[in-house]
Amino acid sequence: MNGKKNKKKTNRLIMRSVILLLLIAAIGYTIYNSATADDVSLLEVGDDAPNFSLTDLDGNQHKLSDYRGQGVFLNFWGTWCEPCKEEMPAMDSQYGEYKDQGVQVLAVNIAQSDFEVQSFSDQFKLSFPIVIDKTKDVMTAYNIRPLPTTVLVNPEGKIERVVTGEMTEQDIKGYMEEIKPE
């Protein structure tokens, strides 16, 4: 009888120790993550927009530096994001108006599958290039937190404005005017 009791106590002690170690590891990870999050420098208006190269749904490469001389409406989004769904048709409409005036839209999806993104694009009949940041490297470089976030890049490759949250079609039109080449 004592052998069973001791075995139960030992098992309980081992289980409690494992749980305690997991809690300590989780707390340590959280502290480390919070401390290193500040290592990413915040981008400000006037900074050079970090260059990147991502692939669109058709397999074409898009490098930000290839758009030098044009305004770039860089929109970070996800298919699950309700405000993103609301603003996408307006972005597409304004893209139709401004693409021939030197303003490009690049929609950067954050690490979702090609299937999810393609389905979303088909549902809204989007015509602008959609690229997927599978590794979240671009999201990190731009220090993107809430979605949607739009970074307006002027023709010189500098950040003109950072917009967080949902935009109306009127907002989008105004922002495209801001980054339209002279």
Side-chain angles (χ1 to χ4, degrees), residues 55-119:
T55 305
D56 69 18
L57 294 171
D58 296 324
N60 302 313
Q61 288 286 336
H62 293 267
K63 269 175 105 173
L64 184 63
S65 58
D66 290 344
Y67 292 96
R68 187 70 126 219
Q70 301 178 72
V72 180
F73 193 89
L74 193 56
N75 180 261
F76 293 86
W77 65 284
T79 62
W80 47 265
C81 163
E82 286 303 318
C84 300
K85 290 178 189 175
E86 294 297 321
E87 69 186 12
M88 283 290 177
M91 279 174 43
D92 197 59
S93 170
Q94 291 305 310
Y95 173 66
E97 295 292 317
Y98 282 89
K99 69 181 175 186
D100 294 332
Q101 297 179 50
V103 176
Q104 299 302 316
V105 169
L106 259 184
V108 181
N109 175 269
I110 306 301
Q112 291 187 268
S113 73
D114 290 7
F115 177 77
E116 288 174 295
V117 176
Q118 187 66 62
S119 297

Side-chain angles (χ1 to χ4, degrees), residues 115-154:
F115 177 77
E116 288 174 295
V117 176
Q118 187 66 62
S119 297
F120 183 93
S121 177
D122 292 347
Q123 176 187 352
F124 290 97
K125 297 175 179 58
L126 302 175
S127 60
F128 48 75
I130 297 174
V131 295
I132 302 175
D133 184 11
K134 294 184 185 290
T135 60
K136 298 184 179 180
D137 288 345
V138 178
M139 181 179 107
T140 301
Y142 279 81
N143 202 26
I144 301 300
R145 291 285 183 238
L147 293 182
T149 293
T150 301
V151 178
L152 303 177
V153 181
N154 68 25

Side-chain angles (χ1 to χ4, degrees), residues 27-43:
I27 291 168
Y29 175 77
T30 303
I31 291 169
Y32 170 78
N33 226 9
S34 297
T36 58
D38 296 335
D39 290 350
V40 177
S41 62
L42 293 175
L43 294 174

